[in-house]
Amino acid sequence: MGIKQNKQDKAPAAGKGQSGAAAAATAKTPSKIQAFGQYFEDAKTELGKVSWPTRKEVKATSLAVLALVVIMSLFLGVVDIILAKIVELILSIGI
């Protein structure tokens, strides 16, 4: 990802001195707008690589999640009722 560089960009500036190399490095830095555009190009490329589920797979997994939610809701409701009865029994004994 990121900005592609050719071999000339990677080679050190010969005979220019440090100020020439620093100026060359500064000139090759992409602007914020170019970097923003490159980000979206890269994101589009990556989204093309995603293995999206089929409609049938989405339906099957959605139904599985819904069934699990219903089952867990019933289980937790029953456990809550049982624990409430136990607490009520303990508090009604009185000391």
Side-chain angles (χ1 to χ4, degrees), residues 9-46:
D9 292 343
K10 294 179 183 177
K16 290 186 178 181
Q18 291 179 342
S19 62
T26 306
K28 294 175 187 163
T29 303
S31 70
K32 297 277 185 189
I33 294 173
Q34 289 172 332
F36 193 66
Q38 185 66 41
Y39 170 79
F40 281 106
E41 286 178 28
D42 292 344
K44 185 177 178 181
T45 301
E46 289 299 318

mmCIF file of all heavy atoms in Angstrom, residues 9-46:
data_model
loop_
_atom_site.group_PDB
_atom_site.id
_atom_site.type_symbol
_atom_site.label_atom_id
_atom_site.label_comp_id
_atom_site.label_asym_id
_atom_site.label_seq_id
_atom_site.Cartn_x
_atom_site.Cartn_y
_atom_site.Cartn_z
ATOM 1 N N ASP A 9 13.996 7.034 -7.115
ATOM 2 C CA ASP A 9 13.615 7.678 -5.865
ATOM 3 C C ASP A 9 14.386 7.109 -4.681
ATOM 4 O O ASP A 9 14.648 7.804 -3.721
ATOM 5 C CB ASP A 9 12.124 7.492 -5.596
ATOM 6 C CG ASP A 9 11.256 8.251 -6.595
ATOM 7 O OD1 ASP A 9 11.795 9.154 -7.261
ATOM 8 O OD2 ASP A 9 10.065 7.920 -6.707
ATOM 9 N N LYS A 10 14.761 5.841 -4.761
ATOM 10 C CA LYS A 10 15.442 5.187 -3.647
ATOM 11 C C LYS A 10 16.950 5.450 -3.644
ATOM 12 O O LYS A 10 17.586 5.298 -2.627
ATOM 13 C CB LYS A 10 15.181 3.683 -3.690
ATOM 14 C CG LYS A 10 13.730 3.332 -3.443
ATOM 15 C CD LYS A 10 13.522 1.854 -3.509
ATOM 16 C CE LYS A 10 12.036 1.521 -3.338
ATOM 17 N NZ LYS A 10 11.781 0.109 -3.461
ATOM 18 N N ALA A 11 17.509 5.805 -4.770
ATOM 19 C CA ALA A 11 18.957 6.017 -4.863
ATOM 20 C C ALA A 11 19.323 7.316 -4.159
ATOM 21 O O ALA A 11 18.623 8.317 -4.271
ATOM 22 C CB ALA A 11 19.389 6.081 -6.328
ATOM 23 N N PRO A 12 20.463 7.342 -3.434
ATOM 24 C CA PRO A 12 20.879 8.574 -2.765
ATOM 25 C C PRO A 12 21.327 9.612 -3.790
ATOM 26 O O PRO A 12 21.818 9.289 -4.862
ATOM 27 C CB PRO A 12 22.041 8.134 -1.873
ATOM 28 C CG PRO A 12 22.529 6.853 -2.445
ATOM 29 C CD PRO A 12 21.355 6.227 -3.140
ATOM 30 N N ALA A 13 21.130 10.869 -3.435
ATOM 31 C CA ALA A 13 21.517 11.959 -4.332
ATOM 32 C C ALA A 13 23.031 12.106 -4.282
ATOM 33 O O ALA A 13 23.589 12.487 -3.273
ATOM 34 C CB ALA A 13 20.835 13.248 -3.896
ATOM 35 N N ALA A 14 23.705 11.814 -5.382
ATOM 36 C CA ALA A 14 25.169 11.870 -5.437
ATOM 37 C C ALA A 14 25.602 13.276 -5.809
ATOM 38 O O ALA A 14 25.141 13.840 -6.787
ATOM 39 C CB ALA A 14 25.701 10.868 -6.455
ATOM 40 N N GLY A 15 26.509 13.843 -5.028
ATOM 41 C CA GLY A 15 27.099 15.126 -5.341
ATOM 42 C C GLY A 15 26.210 16.314 -5.014
ATOM 43 O O GLY A 15 26.593 17.437 -5.271
ATOM 44 N N LYS A 16 25.049 16.104 -4.481
ATOM 45 C CA LYS A 16 24.165 17.227 -4.168
ATOM 46 C C LYS A 16 24.379 17.747 -2.753
ATOM 47 O O LYS A 16 23.969 18.840 -2.432
ATOM 48 C CB LYS A 16 22.693 16.815 -4.327
ATOM 49 C CG LYS A 16 22.277 16.585 -5.752
ATOM 50 C CD LYS A 16 20.787 16.337 -5.818
ATOM 51 C CE LYS A 16 20.327 16.149 -7.249
ATOM 52 N NZ LYS A 16 18.899 15.928 -7.331
ATOM 53 N N GLY A 17 24.952 16.944 -1.885
ATOM 54 C CA GLY A 17 25.122 17.355 -0.499
ATOM 55 C C GLY A 17 23.849 17.095 0.283
ATOM 56 O O GLY A 17 22.854 16.654 -0.245
ATOM 57 N N GLN A 18 23.883 17.402 1.556
ATOM 58 C CA GLN A 18 22.732 17.120 2.412
ATOM 59 C C GLN A 18 21.538 18.000 2.084
ATOM 60 O O GLN A 18 20.409 17.551 2.123
ATOM 61 C CB GLN A 18 23.132 17.303 3.880
ATOM 62 C CG GLN A 18 24.095 16.244 4.356
ATOM 63 C CD GLN A 18 24.496 16.469 5.802
ATOM 64 O OE1 GLN A 18 24.338 17.555 6.333
ATOM 65 N NE2 GLN A 18 25.022 15.426 6.436
ATOM 66 N N SER A 19 21.774 19.260 1.755
ATOM 67 C CA SER A 19 20.635 20.144 1.485
ATOM 68 C C SER A 19 19.903 19.711 0.221
ATOM 69 O O SER A 19 18.686 19.788 0.144
ATOM 70 C CB SER A 19 21.093 21.602 1.374
ATOM 71 O OG SER A 19 21.994 21.721 0.276
ATOM 72 N N GLY A 20 20.637 19.204 -0.769
ATOM 73 C CA GLY A 20 20.003 18.721 -1.997
ATOM 74 C C GLY A 20 19.186 17.473 -1.741
ATOM 75 O O GLY A 20 18.089 17.315 -2.262
ATOM 76 N N ALA A 21 19.692 16.567 -0.907
ATOM 77 C CA ALA A 21 18.971 15.339 -0.581
ATOM 78 C C ALA A 21 17.721 15.660 0.232
ATOM 79 O O ALA A 21 16.668 15.064 0.018
ATOM 80 C CB ALA A 21 19.879 14.379 0.191
ATOM 81 N N ALA A 22 17.834 16.596 1.155
ATOM 82 C CA ALA A 22 16.687 16.981 1.959
ATOM 83 C C ALA A 22 15.618 17.634 1.096
ATOM 84 O O ALA A 22 14.422 17.380 1.260
ATOM 85 C CB ALA A 22 17.111 17.931 3.080
ATOM 86 N N ALA A 23 16.043 18.454 0.149
ATOM 87 C CA ALA A 23 15.086 19.101 -0.745
ATOM 88 C C ALA A 23 14.408 18.069 -1.636
ATOM 89 O O ALA A 23 13.207 18.160 -1.904
ATOM 90 C CB ALA A 23 15.792 20.152 -1.596
ATOM 91 N N ALA A 24 15.171 17.072 -2.098
ATOM 92 C CA ALA A 24 14.588 16.034 -2.947
ATOM 93 C C ALA A 24 13.587 15.197 -2.157
ATOM 94 O O ALA A 24 12.533 14.831 -2.674
ATOM 95 C CB ALA A 24 15.685 15.135 -3.512
ATOM 96 N N ALA A 25 13.892 14.896 -0.906
ATOM 97 C CA ALA A 25 12.976 14.112 -0.079
ATOM 98 C C ALA A 25 11.703 14.897 0.202
ATOM 99 O O ALA A 25 10.603 14.337 0.207
ATOM 100 C CB ALA A 25 13.655 13.720 1.229
ATOM 101 N N THR A 26 11.831 16.195 0.417
ATOM 102 C CA THR A 26 10.676 17.033 0.672
ATOM 103 C C THR A 26 9.799 17.142 -0.573
ATOM 104 O O THR A 26 8.575 17.122 -0.483
ATOM 105 C CB THR A 26 11.110 18.439 1.126
ATOM 106 O OG1 THR A 26 11.987 18.301 2.241
ATOM 107 C CG2 THR A 26 9.917 19.278 1.517
ATOM 108 N N ALA A 27 10.404 17.219 -1.732
ATOM 109 C CA ALA A 27 9.652 17.364 -2.975
ATOM 110 C C ALA A 27 8.865 16.094 -3.291
ATOM 111 O O ALA A 27 7.845 16.159 -3.958
ATOM 112 C CB ALA A 27 10.606 17.690 -4.117
ATOM 113 N N LYS A 28 9.300 14.928 -2.826
ATOM 114 C CA LYS A 28 8.649 13.657 -3.130
ATOM 115 C C LYS A 28 7.554 13.307 -2.139
ATOM 116 O O LYS A 28 6.839 12.356 -2.342
ATOM 117 C CB LYS A 28 9.689 12.546 -3.178
ATOM 118 C CG LYS A 28 10.651 12.716 -4.322
ATOM 119 C CD LYS A 28 11.733 11.697 -4.280
ATOM 120 C CE LYS A 28 12.757 12.024 -5.353
ATOM 121 N NZ LYS A 28 13.997 11.355 -5.145
ATOM 122 N N THR A 29 7.405 14.067 -1.060
ATOM 123 C CA THR A 29 6.363 13.811 -0.084
ATOM 124 C C THR A 29 5.017 14.192 -0.695
ATOM 125 O O THR A 29 4.855 15.307 -1.166
ATOM 126 C CB THR A 29 6.601 14.647 1.194
ATOM 127 O OG1 THR A 29 7.893 14.341 1.697
ATOM 128 C CG2 THR A 29 5.548 14.351 2.241
ATOM 129 N N PRO A 30 4.066 13.251 -0.713
ATOM 130 C CA PRO A 30 2.774 13.567 -1.329
ATOM 131 C C PRO A 30 1.988 14.566 -0.490
ATOM 132 O O PRO A 30 2.126 14.624 0.731
ATOM 133 C CB PRO A 30 2.059 12.220 -1.365
ATOM 134 C CG PRO A 30 2.682 11.438 -0.267
ATOM 135 C CD PRO A 30 4.107 11.905 -0.205
ATOM 136 N N SER A 31 1.165 15.360 -1.153
ATOM 137 C CA SER A 31 0.341 16.324 -0.432
ATOM 138 C C SER A 31 -0.761 15.580 0.322
ATOM 139 O O SER A 31 -1.004 14.392 0.099
ATOM 140 C CB SER A 31 -0.286 17.320 -1.412
ATOM 141 O OG SER A 31 -1.279 16.673 -2.191
ATOM 142 N N LYS A 32 -1.434 16.270 1.199
ATOM 143 C CA LYS A 32 -2.514 15.667 1.980
ATOM 144 C C LYS A 32 -3.629 15.186 1.048
ATOM 145 O O LYS A 32 -4.208 14.128 1.260
ATOM 146 C CB LYS A 32 -3.094 16.672 2.976
ATOM 147 C CG LYS A 32 -2.119 17.144 4.004
ATOM 148 C CD LYS A 32 -2.033 16.173 5.130
ATOM 149 C CE LYS A 32 -1.133 16.761 6.210
ATOM 150 N NZ LYS A 32 -0.828 15.818 7.227
ATOM 151 N N ILE A 33 -3.922 15.939 0.017
ATOM 152 C CA ILE A 33 -4.991 15.570 -0.914
ATOM 153 C C ILE A 33 -4.603 14.313 -1.689
ATOM 154 O O ILE A 33 -5.423 13.406 -1.870
ATOM 155 C CB ILE A 33 -5.302 16.741 -1.870
ATOM 156 C CG1 ILE A 33 -5.883 17.900 -1.067
ATOM 157 C CG2 ILE A 33 -6.262 16.302 -2.968
ATOM 158 C CD1 ILE A 33 -6.084 19.168 -1.843
ATOM 159 N N GLN A 34 -3.340 14.224 -2.123
ATOM 160 C CA GLN A 34 -2.879 13.030 -2.840
ATOM 161 C C GLN A 34 -2.909 11.814 -1.919
ATOM 162 O O GLN A 34 -3.315 10.725 -2.330
ATOM 163 C CB GLN A 34 -1.464 13.235 -3.372
ATOM 164 C CG GLN A 34 -1.390 14.208 -4.531
ATOM 165 C CD GLN A 34 0.052 14.537 -4.902
ATOM 166 O OE1 GLN A 34 0.935 14.475 -4.047
ATOM 167 N NE2 GLN A 34 0.274 14.894 -6.152
ATOM 168 N N ALA A 35 -2.486 11.982 -0.676
ATOM 169 C CA ALA A 35 -2.493 10.874 0.281
ATOM 170 C C ALA A 35 -3.921 10.429 0.569
ATOM 171 O O ALA A 35 -4.197 9.235 0.685
ATOM 172 C CB ALA A 35 -1.799 11.300 1.575
ATOM 173 N N PHE A 36 -4.851 11.384 0.653
ATOM 174 C CA PHE A 36 -6.258 11.075 0.882
ATOM 175 C C PHE A 36 -6.822 10.278 -0.287
ATOM 176 O O PHE A 36 -7.503 9.274 -0.104
ATOM 177 C CB PHE A 36 -7.021 12.394 1.056
ATOM 178 C CG PHE A 36 -8.409 12.249 1.606
ATOM 179 C CD1 PHE A 36 -8.616 11.794 2.889
ATOM 180 C CD2 PHE A 36 -9.506 12.582 0.825
ATOM 181 C CE1 PHE A 36 -9.889 11.673 3.403
ATOM 182 C CE2 PHE A 36 -10.784 12.460 1.330
ATOM 183 C CZ PHE A 36 -10.978 12.010 2.618
ATOM 184 N N GLY A 37 -6.499 10.708 -1.504
ATOM 185 C CA GLY A 37 -6.950 9.986 -2.699
ATOM 186 C C GLY A 37 -6.356 8.596 -2.767
ATOM 187 O O GLY A 37 -7.037 7.634 -3.138
ATOM 188 N N GLN A 38 -5.074 8.472 -2.424
ATOM 189 C CA GLN A 38 -4.407 7.170 -2.439
ATOM 190 C C GLN A 38 -5.037 6.225 -1.425
ATOM 191 O O GLN A 38 -5.183 5.039 -1.687
ATOM 192 C CB GLN A 38 -2.909 7.342 -2.137
ATOM 193 C CG GLN A 38 -2.118 6.068 -2.241
ATOM 194 C CD GLN A 38 -2.066 5.525 -3.656
ATOM 195 O OE1 GLN A 38 -1.906 6.274 -4.602
ATOM 196 N NE2 GLN A 38 -2.223 4.220 -3.803
ATOM 197 N N TYR A 39 -5.443 6.765 -0.285
ATOM 198 C CA TYR A 39 -6.101 5.954 0.739
ATOM 199 C C TYR A 39 -7.368 5.318 0.175
ATOM 200 O O TYR A 39 -7.613 4.130 0.358
ATOM 201 C CB TYR A 39 -6.432 6.819 1.961
ATOM 202 C CG TYR A 39 -7.309 6.121 2.963
ATOM 203 C CD1 TYR A 39 -6.783 5.196 3.851
ATOM 204 C CD2 TYR A 39 -8.683 6.371 3.002
ATOM 205 C CE1 TYR A 39 -7.587 4.536 4.763
ATOM 206 C CE2 TYR A 39 -9.499 5.717 3.911
ATOM 207 C CZ TYR A 39 -8.951 4.806 4.786
ATOM 208 O OH TYR A 39 -9.752 4.159 5.682
ATOM 209 N N PHE A 40 -8.183 6.097 -0.512
ATOM 210 C CA PHE A 40 -9.429 5.568 -1.058
ATOM 211 C C PHE A 40 -9.176 4.590 -2.205
ATOM 212 O O PHE A 40 -9.912 3.613 -2.357
ATOM 213 C CB PHE A 40 -10.370 6.693 -1.479
ATOM 214 C CG PHE A 40 -11.081 7.301 -0.308
ATOM 215 C CD1 PHE A 40 -10.735 8.541 0.165
ATOM 216 C CD2 PHE A 40 -12.081 6.611 0.341
ATOM 217 C CE1 PHE A 40 -11.381 9.094 1.259
ATOM 218 C CE2 PHE A 40 -12.739 7.145 1.436
ATOM 219 C CZ PHE A 40 -12.382 8.392 1.897
ATOM 220 N N GLU A 41 -8.148 4.822 -2.986
ATOM 221 C CA GLU A 41 -7.790 3.861 -4.038
ATOM 222 C C GLU A 41 -7.387 2.523 -3.412
ATOM 223 O O GLU A 41 -7.797 1.457 -3.876
ATOM 224 C CB GLU A 41 -6.646 4.400 -4.889
ATOM 225 C CG GLU A 41 -7.050 5.514 -5.832
ATOM 226 C CD GLU A 41 -5.867 6.045 -6.631
ATOM 227 O OE1 GLU A 41 -4.902 5.280 -6.866
ATOM 228 O OE2 GLU A 41 -5.910 7.221 -7.016
ATOM 229 N N ASP A 42 -6.586 2.584 -2.363
ATOM 230 C CA ASP A 42 -6.151 1.367 -1.669
ATOM 231 C C ASP A 42 -7.339 0.658 -1.018
ATOM 232 O O ASP A 42 -7.430 -0.568 -1.040
ATOM 233 C CB ASP A 42 -5.095 1.690 -0.614
ATOM 234 C CG ASP A 42 -3.780 2.157 -1.227
ATOM 235 O OD1 ASP A 42 -3.577 1.945 -2.434
ATOM 236 O OD2 ASP A 42 -2.966 2.745 -0.487
ATOM 237 N N ALA A 43 -8.254 1.437 -0.428
ATOM 238 C CA ALA A 43 -9.431 0.845 0.205
ATOM 239 C C ALA A 43 -10.294 0.137 -0.836
ATOM 240 O O ALA A 43 -10.793 -0.968 -0.585
ATOM 241 C CB ALA A 43 -10.239 1.925 0.921
ATOM 242 N N LYS A 44 -10.456 0.746 -1.995
ATOM 243 C CA LYS A 44 -11.249 0.133 -3.064
ATOM 244 C C LYS A 44 -10.603 -1.169 -3.531
ATOM 245 O O LYS A 44 -11.283 -2.172 -3.754
ATOM 246 C CB LYS A 44 -11.378 1.104 -4.233
ATOM 247 C CG LYS A 44 -12.280 0.627 -5.331
ATOM 248 C CD LYS A 44 -12.420 1.677 -6.413
ATOM 249 C CE LYS A 44 -13.297 1.171 -7.535
ATOM 250 N NZ LYS A 44 -13.426 2.166 -8.613
ATOM 251 N N THR A 45 -9.286 -1.182 -3.648
ATOM 252 C CA THR A 45 -8.567 -2.387 -4.044
ATOM 253 C C THR A 45 -8.768 -3.491 -3.010
ATOM 254 O O THR A 45 -9.015 -4.644 -3.367
ATOM 255 C CB THR A 45 -7.059 -2.087 -4.193
ATOM 256 O OG1 THR A 45 -6.894 -1.060 -5.166
ATOM 257 C CG2 THR A 45 -6.287 -3.312 -4.619
ATOM 258 N N GLU A 46 -8.661 -3.153 -1.732
ATOM 259 C CA GLU A 46 -8.818 -4.148 -0.675
ATOM 260 C C GLU A 46 -10.250 -4.690 -0.618
ATOM 261 O O GLU A 46 -10.454 -5.868 -0.368
ATOM 262 C CB GLU A 46 -8.425 -3.569 0.686
ATOM 263 C CG GLU A 46 -6.942 -3.334 0.847
ATOM 264 C CD GLU A 46 -6.113 -4.592 0.722
ATOM 265 O OE1 GLU A 46 -6.526 -5.639 1.268
ATOM 266 O OE2 GLU A 46 -5.078 -4.547 0.062
#
